[in-house]
Amino acid sequence: RGRVVFRSSLYGEYAPLADCLKRESPRFYRGLLNDKVKRSVAVGRMTGDEPAFHLLAKMIADFHERKLAVFVVTTPWNQDLLASFHSGELEHFTRLMQTFCRDNRVPYLDFLRTPFPEEEWIDSNHLNVRGAKRFTPMLLRAIEEAGL
């Protein structure tokens, strides 16, 4: 099955992506967690042409060349966060991710709207330990169903 590469291990041979995420994220996402309007507009304006998408595509191509299993996951967001987006913006994001994954020949595991009770969240988009314990079997099942 190959080795697993976690986000924290992007430093090293994938340092350009990590650097891009560090450089682009503050500029692109500055204040988004505290400003529902900005957050909604930013997601609605994503094109897939942002530098991080290009670097991620290069990384995926490298994984394919090495015969490693690759997939992209959108983890759950809580209902309050989902409700803060304008109509159509999350659908735009989902279509963008589906297209990106299809174009790069990787499965897209979309858990964005998977509901979890309030007591299973640390904040609006991070599950606590209890939520993570419930999410992990869902993710493993999806990975198996994707044939990875």
Side-chain angles (χ1 to χ4, degrees):
R1 290 203 181 213
R3 66 180 191 258
V4 176
V5 178
F6 295 96
R7 183 177 178 157
S8 62
S9 66
L10 288 176
Y11 301 97
E13 64 186 300
Y14 298 108
L17 178 59
D19 290 343
C20 178
L21 292 173
K22 283 193 302 190
R23 185 177 60 252
E24 294 294 320
S25 292
R27 184 172 59 79
F28 191 71
Y29 299 106
R30 184 176 291 123
L32 296 184
L33 289 177
N34 298 321
D35 189 325
K36 292 178 183 181
V37 173
K38 284 184 184 175
R39 179 177 56 234
S40 184
V41 168
V43 169
R45 288 186 180 165
M46 290 177 79
T47 65
D49 198 37
E50 291 80 12
F53 277 99
H54 292 291
L55 290 167
L56 183 58
K58 287 180 185 178
M59 187 171 80
I60 289 169
D62 182 43
F63 285 1
H64 283 308
E65 188 176 305
R66 295 177 187 199
K67 308 271 189 260
L68 298 173
V70 183
F71 57 93
V72 173
V73 178
T74 303
T75 56
W77 290 0
N78 84 8
Q79 298 306 306
D80 289 340
L81 179 60
L82 292 171
S84 72
F85 286 89
H86 295 133
S87 177
E89 289 172 340
L90 290 176
E91 291 75 14
H92 166 77
F93 174 76
T94 299
R95 283 190 308 274
L96 179 69
M97 294 305 298
Q98 289 168 337
T99 300
F100 175 83
C101 289
R102 184 188 64 238
D103 291 351
N104 288 279
R105 302 178 339 270
V106 296
Y108 176 48
L109 310 178
D110 183 10
F111 291 96
L112 187 69
R113 292 175 180 84
T114 304
F116 284 83
E118 275 306 310
E119 62 271 6
E120 293 185 356
W121 294 93
I122 292 173
D123 58 28
S124 61
N125 63 340
H126 295 97
L127 294 166
N128 63 22
V129 172
R130 197 161 101 195
K133 284 181 179 179
R134 207 160 66 84
F135 175 63
T136 299
M138 294 177 194
L139 178 59
L140 293 174
R141 191 169 32 259
I143 291 169
E144 282 182 8
E145 289 171 3
L148 299 169

